[in-house]
Amino acid sequence: MKIFPRKLLRSRRQQQGIITAMAAVILVTAVIYVLAQTFGIIGTTSLSNAAQRDSVAAFFLAESGVERGFSVINAAADAGNMTNAICDGLTGTHPVGDRGGQFTYDSPVSVPATCGGMSSSFCDSCSFTARGSLGGSSRAIRVTISSIPNEGTAGCGNSSTLQMTVAAPGSYAFTHLAYRAKDDGTGCSGGIDTSNARIGTCTIGGVGAGNCNVSTTGDFWDLQSGGTNAVSSFGVSSTTDPLITGAYTIRTTFEVAGSGQARGSGTPVPRDYAQTGLLFAPLGTAVGFAGSYAGNTTTAATGFTGSVAADWNCQPSSRTTAGNMSRAARADALVYGFSSWPTNPSKILNTATLGIQPLHLLTRREYKRTETGPIELYSDIWFSYNRAYDSTVDGGVSAARASNGATFTATLGADLKGHTLSRGTTNCPLSVPSGQLCLQLDAQVTPGILSSGDTITGGSVSGTLGALLSGSANANNSVYVFNYSGSTINNNTLLIAKSAILRLLTAPSATNGGWLTSGDAIMASGGTTTYGILSNYAVRVDSPAALGLANSTYDLTGVADGATYVVSTGMISSSGSTITVKGSPNPSQTPLVGTAVAVWQPESGTGSFGGKVFIGTISGSTLTPATSVTLCNGDLLFGSGYKEPLPSTNDIGIPPITSVVTSGGCTNIGPFSVVSTKTIPSWTGTIVARTAVTAATNAASFTVSRPPTTNIRNAAVCGGVCALFFDEAGSLPNTTIQFTLAGFTSGDDWSSGFACLSGIQPDNIQTLGRRVGKRSSWTEVIQ
């Protein structure tokens, strides 16, 4: 065993103690270091969390700035007061809370740069930056708020606003406002005031701002309904200043007022409402207003048939006195505003007809209390367009001088006496072909005229008259080539020449019509026999140059075999599709091709063009009637029962459908081709075929697609709105105008009104509405 010295052992123990102490020191140092690092990290993390919270808060402050800017722009757009100044005004600092938070605006940009107010356009959008800050943190959001136009407007409030941009001076604004006048506790105001509300004010904002046309002009209606839901109707129309274009708003308020209290001085109240509107651009300097009529009721059955009051000043007059011609004859557009609170939300108006004329649904605005709820209230504008024309002079019955055809005395063919000559005789030369003889007249032909090609008959003799060989036409002893069969013609044999030449013995007089026109059908008195169609005025050299004089001669085509020919002074009449007006029509413009026309003969009530109402299907350019119907080339088609999608531009075509039957002539065999100024939507509904102008020489002479069913004499021919009033028989059904509504429910409470306008551009109709703000872009700005 090895023994160490004690001193050596003591030294080793001392070394181990030093190592342990050093290890402890190292451990303590490491712990202190770790603790120091930990406390540092904890401190740094605390500082980072505070900055993060400030950054998040700054972002929400920027969002608050966005929301405020959106609210400002949307409120201005909704009220029709949006201008570039509203957008440019989004500036400044806005403190939020008690920790020093805030948001600021910068870099606002309006598109267009100048818009609204007295500008020529509405504001399309506003872009701006909302910057939020708190502590040392800052966040920024760049946003664009677009001003979106809606078709019409609807809701619950103290007022309704429609907006428009007038691009053409002299434009015409027509609006129809439907509102629930009485709130029985179920309305949007919750029964705050159950009195019948009325229209308080109606103002036009913008350039040349002022009041809407109201009672001082008669250019409106204001119906207070007493029905179950008190659905009321306010129709407003206004011609904008012919010297001014720009952005406009039409704002209408609701109020309750005491008896005798002036309009606009009552207490504002909220009401359920729906409003539609149209802006018509003029063809000339300004759109004109012809008149209006309105009425309301609660219907007792599905649909409604009623009469427009006799004193409505759009109605065609009785023409019993000079100067009382309806102004409707010079109006070319009819607009019909309709409103209802349907008892069955699935049943709404689907057909509106004036006389036999279907109206066209152009715009509809529905009101729903919730987005997915039923229709509570709706406002429609139905429409029909037809170019204006008026054949009368100074409006009086004595000046209504439109006629077609004439009544007169004339001859077709002739009575004659003669005898035959054999070939080779003095008057029948050898040059006459074998098998043909010559006919020599034994007396002057009276009272008619002979012409090559006439059929000669008499007893058992029949033959054809050839060329004149010698002498003068129709004179005694004159000789003609003659090919006949039968017995020999003796001297002084009475023969009849059936001719295609018409000779007037007397000129048509002013009292029975004095107009012969190429294309007229030549008939026996009373129209029982048609001899042929007048092809030329005066084609023979022996005819007088003047039209319609005695001894004038005319060619006929299509002379019917077996017809009883007139060979004496019997009355003959002509009837054709050419309308001739004596005197100077008022207005004097030539009727445009495609103008639907109606004829009215005050003395007899006759003169129908034979228009036809039918149900058909249109697909593309093919029209298929559900039943047999006669259509003529050039007839104008009007349709109802559909609503076209409204495009983003102002051009919505020419409603109703302007179509032409291209099958040629008149036929009842379908389907037919139609030609339109625009693509026709596929649909099935009521269609009316109306007689229309197919060609025009001047204001006093034009052709139509089908002739009147009876000759017209001293009649009135009108286009425009006037033509739409006539029923299928060609006359007014009674002293008032019938109109029919279909598709809504028994018990529905409704109000409506008509208005007649003149001088519109049918392809430039703007749908009015209300503009609302919508975020179209959102971007956080990297700082």
Side-chain angles (χ1 to χ4, degrees):
M1 179 176 76
K2 189 175 182 177
I3 300 175
F4 293 96
R6 182 180 303 271
K7 184 176 180 180
L8 182 59
L9 291 173
R10 184 183 310 115
S11 174
R12 178 169 292 184
R13 292 190 189 97
Q14 290 174 346
Q15 290 175 357
Q16 290 175 343
I18 293 171
I19 292 172
T20 301
M22 290 178 65
V25 170
I26 292 171
L27 179 61
V28 170
T29 302
V31 170
I32 292 172
Y33 175 78
V34 170
L35 290 174
Q37 292 298 315
T38 300
F39 286 132
I41 291 173
I42 293 173
T44 301
T45 301
S46 298
L47 292 174
S48 297
N49 285 341
Q52 180 65 22
R53 287 195 299 271
D54 287 350
S55 178
V56 171
F59 178 81
F60 284 113
L61 288 169
E63 269 284 9
S64 297
V66 170
E67 290 300 323
R68 179 185 178 276
F70 175 79
S71 177
V72 169
I73 293 171
N74 190 47
D78 183 56
N81 298 325
M82 183 61 191
T83 66
N84 58 286
I86 300 293
C87 181
D88 297 340
L90 292 175
T91 58
T93 299
H94 302 269
V96 179
D98 56 2
R99 296 184 54 213
Q102 62 183 25
F103 62 81
T104 59
Y105 293 113
D106 60 57
S107 305
V109 176
S110 174
V111 177
T114 302
C115 57
M118 296 186 68
S119 171
S120 61
S121 63
F122 285 108
C123 300
D124 293 328
S125 67
C126 175
S127 301
F128 60 88
T129 299
R131 194 179 307 277
S133 59
L134 179 65
S137 297
S138 177
R139 303 282 289 274
I141 299 172
R142 184 71 178 175
V143 66
T144 298
I145 308 297
S146 296
S147 179
I148 306 298
N150 282 345
E151 180 182 344
T153 184
C156 168
N158 297 337
S159 65
S160 175
T161 300
L162 289 178
Q163 299 162 341
M164 59 185 171
T165 301
V166 179
S171 295
Y172 197 94
F174 174 85
T175 72
H176 181 247
L177 171 62
Y179 65 101
R180 191 180 186 188
K182 187 174 182 180
D183 188 347
D184 59 3
T186 63
C188 72
S189 69
I192 294 174
D193 190 313
T194 59
S195 303
N196 261 17
R198 70 180 187 185
I199 299 300
T201 59
C202 179
T203 56
I204 299 178
V207 183
N211 293 324
C212 306
N213 290 356
V214 288
S215 57
T216 55
T217 63
D219 202 354
F220 88 121
W221 62 83
D222 185 6
L223 296 176
Q224 280 288 333
S225 175
T228 305
N229 293 303
V231 174
S232 299
S233 172
F234 187 58
V236 175
S237 51
S238 178
T239 304
T240 58
D241 191 314
L243 299 178
I244 297 176
T245 60
Y248 288 83
T249 61
I250 298 178
R251 185 171 185 269
T252 310
T253 64
F254 309 116
E255 68 178 18
V256 294
S259 176
Q261 192 171 356
R263 185 188 294 270
S265 61
T267 303
V269 292
R271 288 293 184 264
D272 300 302
Y273 66 88
Q275 188 171 15
T276 47
L278 300 172
L279 180 67
F280 299 93
L283 278 174
T285 57
V287 174
F289 172 79
S292 65
Y293 171 77
N296 57 352
T297 188
T298 298
T299 184
T302 301
F304 176 83
T305 298
S307 299
V308 177
D311 60 353
W312 183 31
N313 58 9
C314 277
Q315 178 190 334
S317 70
S318 63
R319 303 180 188 272
T320 55
T321 59
N324 69 347
M325 176 58 197
S326 168
R327 287 176 289 174
R330 290 135 201 196
D332 50 27
L334 184 143
V335 287
Y336 174 50
F338 178 86
S339 59
S340 180
W341 186 289
T343 56
N344 184 340
S346 65
K347 292 284 189 178
I348 56 179
L349 182 66
N350 59 32
T351 300
T353 304
L354 181 69
I356 63 168
Q357 179 64 33
L359 304 180
H360 172 97
L361 178 59
L362 197 58
T363 180
R364 168 174 286 162
R365 179 66 183 196
E366 301 167 351
Y367 168 62
K368 298 180 178 181
R369 289 182 180 165
T370 61
E371 184 175 348
T372 59
I375 299 172
E376 304 274 3
L377 179 68
Y378 63 96
S379 174
D380 290 354
I381 296 181
W382 296 68
F383 179 80
S384 191
Y385 174 80
N386 184 38
R387 296 182 176 103
Y389 174 76
D390 175 13
S391 71
T392 63
V393 183
D394 300 327
V397 63
S398 61
R401 303 286 294 279
S403 301
N404 80 311
T407 302
F408 48 89
T409 59
T411 63
L412 280 169
D415 291 335
L416 59 103
K417 295 178 181 180
H419 65 279
T420 58
L421 299 173
S422 299
R423 179 184 177 203
T425 62
T426 303
N427 291 325
C428 189
L430 292 174
S431 60
V432 174
S434 177
Q436 292 179 325
L437 299 179
C438 296
L439 173 65
Q440 182 173 10
L441 298 184
D442 295 326
Q444 174 76 31
V445 171
T446 57
I449 189 170
L450 291 178
S451 179
S452 177
D454 286 356
T455 299
I456 307 298
T457 62
S460 60
V461 177
S462 64
T464 304
L465 194 67
L468 176 66
L469 295 176
S470 63
S472 300
N474 304 296
N476 185 23
N477 294 321
S478 59
V479 178
Y480 296 82
V481 174
F482 188 54
N483 184 19
Y484 82 104
S485 62
S487 59
T488 302
I489 302 174
N490 298 318
N491 289 355
N492 299 321
T493 299
L494 180 62
L495 304 173
I496 297 176
K498 293 185 176 182
S499 178
I501 300 299
L502 174 73
R503 167 174 254 165
L504 270 62
L505 299 180
T506 61
S509 67
T511 57
N512 59 29
W515 303 98
L516 290 176
T517 307
S518 180
D520 281 1
I522 304 303
M523 300 172 292
S525 181
T528 56
T529 302
T530 299
Y531 301 128
I533 305 299
L534 200 67
S535 60
N536 291 286
Y537 293 145
V539 296
R540 294 173 59 89
V541 295
D542 58 344
S543 301
L547 174 64
L549 295 180
N551 294 318
S552 295
T553 56
Y554 303 84
D555 271 356
L556 295 181
T557 60
V559 177
D561 290 336
T564 302
Y565 281 67
V566 176
V567 291
S568 62
T569 58
M571 293 297 293
I572 300 179
S573 65
S574 72
S575 177
S577 57
T578 297
I579 307 298
T580 308
V581 182
K582 296 182 179 180
S584 300
N586 184 10
S588 60
Q589 77 271 14
T590 301
L592 298 179
V593 173
T595 300
V597 291
V599 60
W600 187 17
Q601 195 156 295
E603 295 89 345
S604 63
T606 60
S608 168
F609 282 128
K612 184 68 176 177
V613 181
F614 58 95
I615 304 297
T617 300
I618 289 180
S619 178
S621 60
T622 301
L623 167 64
T624 305
T627 57
S628 178
V629 59
T630 299
L631 294 182
C632 297
N633 185 43
D635 283 353
L636 196 65
L637 303 181
F638 293 84
S640 178
Y642 70 95
K643 177 180 181 298
E644 298 177 27
L646 293 175
S648 57
T649 64
N650 290 343
D651 185 2
I652 59 174
I654 303 178
I657 301 170
T658 304
S659 310
V660 180
V661 179
T662 58
S663 58
C666 297
T667 179
N668 60 0
I669 301 175
F672 303 96
S673 296
V674 295
V675 178
S676 176
T677 57
K678 62 175 298 181
T679 301
I680 304 173
S682 297
W683 60 283
T684 300
T686 303
I687 305 173
V688 174
R690 306 302 297 260
T691 303
V693 175
T694 55
T697 303
N698 49 51
S701 180
F702 53 92
T703 60
V704 290
S705 57
R706 61 179 77 204
T709 54
T710 60
N711 285 11
I712 59 173
R713 300 286 179 265
N714 293 330
V717 175
C718 68
V721 172
C722 175
L724 310 183
F725 292 153
F726 288 79
D727 65 9
E728 191 173 344
S731 59
L732 295 175
N734 48 48
T735 57
T736 58
I737 307 301
Q738 300 290 321
F739 66 97
T740 303
L741 310 174
F744 53 94
T745 309
S746 174
D748 283 357
D749 188 17
W750 59 269
S751 297
S752 67
F754 298 87
C756 296
L757 309 177
S758 62
I760 74 165
Q761 283 191 44
D763 58 349
N764 191 354
I765 304 174
Q766 179 188 139
T767 302
L768 305 186
R770 179 177 64 89
R771 301 179 77 90
V772 295
K774 181 180 180 180
R775 297 187 192 185
S776 55
S777 68
W778 184 99
T779 305
E780 182 174 4
V781 180
I782 304 300
Q783 302 185 87

